[in-house]
Amino acid sequence: MSGTAPQGRERRICVLISGSGTNLQALIDAQNTPALPSARISLVLSNRKAAYGLTRASQANPPIPTAYLGLQPFLKTNPGKTRDDYDVAVARIVAEENPDLVVLAGWMHIMGEGFLDVINGERPFDGEKRVDKPIPVINLHPALPGAFDGAHAIERAYEAFQKGEIKHSGVMVHRVVKEVDRGEPLLVRKVEILPGEPIEAFEERLHQVEWKLIVEGTAKVLDEVAPVKPVSS
């Protein structure tokens, strides 16, 4: 699963989303360009049925396969199952894709141990079947390391700025571990908050940084686990 990518072999990315998919769109636009060479999004998975990101994937050229699995519908149709069982079910869908990398791009569900145990190869996902090697998982978070972990980070940062508690915020791409938003930061960018600007203006500038950073972070990890084999002269 990891190692040098043979010539002509596209590196596979699985993207998990929950919403409109603007960060996903940045990856769609970058795949197989110099920013993200020899790379293809092989699956977009959402935990929300109405997520517009699923439409972005289906309208891509060529169309990207999609999947949907929501927590509450899963629990309702599987009496006795738990949130951990749901996380394992999500991991099973991902593992079957055999990706080189999993990118959480606006995935609004905190993954429990079940997901990472499967993705890391510590737990079987289909009978005795396990992933051959741990699959790296990265997340885009609209805050600096150690600041505003979890949900509503943009709003919380903006409010803290108004109170004079911070001078800027930022964006990071980090590895996903069992502690929320506490994995090793891979890329970090500061984003200024301008005095007097409305939150919408700050949010738009922050999103512009996100769209670049998610591509850079994806390329960075792909080059670590499946570097593109140089073309022979």
Side-chain angles (χ1 to χ4, degrees):
M1 189 169 303
S2 59
T4 301
Q7 291 181 12
R9 204 277 272 179
E10 290 181 313
R11 300 176 293 177
R12 296 163 63 86
I13 306 164
C14 184
V15 183
L16 275 57
I17 64 164
S18 296
S20 65
T22 56
N23 295 311
L24 166 65
Q25 189 66 55
L27 290 170
I28 291 174
D29 294 342
Q31 60 182 346
N32 279 325
T33 71
L36 206 56
S38 300
R40 176 173 65 89
I41 300 171
S42 60
L43 179 71
V44 172
L45 169 65
S46 175
N47 65 337
R48 295 179 181 171
K49 198 171 188 178
Y52 186 68
L54 294 174
T55 300
R56 291 180 187 272
S58 63
Q59 291 180 348
N61 185 20
I64 299 168
T66 63
Y68 159 70
L69 188 65
L71 174 60
Q72 292 308 319
F74 174 84
L75 296 177
K76 197 170 289 186
T77 55
N78 294 278
K81 295 286 187 179
T82 65
R83 185 186 179 102
D84 185 68
D85 293 319
Y86 169 80
D87 290 345
V88 170
V90 171
R92 182 180 301 117
I93 295 171
V94 172
E96 291 287 1
E97 277 298 307
N98 193 29
D100 295 290
L101 173 65
V102 180
V103 180
L104 309 186
W107 173 257
M108 303 304 291
H109 170 80
I110 297 173
M111 293 296 199
E113 294 186 4
F115 176 83
L116 289 174
D117 285 349
V118 170
I119 295 302
N120 290 334
E122 299 167 6
R123 181 171 174 174
F125 64 90
D126 185 11
E128 292 301 310
K129 192 175 181 182
R130 298 172 185 260
V131 298
D132 297 330
K133 295 180 180 179
I135 305 168
V137 184
I138 62 174
N139 180 52
L140 177 73
H141 185 62
L144 296 174
F148 310 110
D149 297 340
H152 309 296
I154 296 174
E155 293 84 354
R156 288 156 58 206
Y158 183 81
E159 182 179 345
F161 175 80
Q162 304 307 318
K163 293 178 178 178
E165 297 172 355
I166 61 172
K167 293 183 178 180
H168 55 257
S169 188
V171 175
M172 69 169 170
V173 173
H174 65 91
R175 298 188 189 277
V176 174
V177 296
K178 292 173 183 178
E179 295 78 29
V180 179
D181 297 327
R182 287 303 174 100
E184 174 198 355
L186 298 168
L187 294 171
V188 179
R189 295 285 187 279
K190 289 183 180 179
V191 179
E192 297 301 321
I193 307 175
L194 305 178
E197 77 172 337
I199 188 171
E200 294 81 7
F202 164 59
E203 190 168 5
E204 177 59 29
R205 286 192 298 103
L206 187 140
H207 287 327
Q208 296 284 342
V209 175
E210 284 185 317
W211 300 334
K212 293 179 181 178
L213 210 66
I214 195 169
V215 173
E216 292 176 18
T218 298
K220 177 181 175 67
V221 178
L222 281 179
D223 287 345
E224 291 174 1
V225 300
V228 178
K229 186 175 181 180
V231 178
S232 302
S233 55

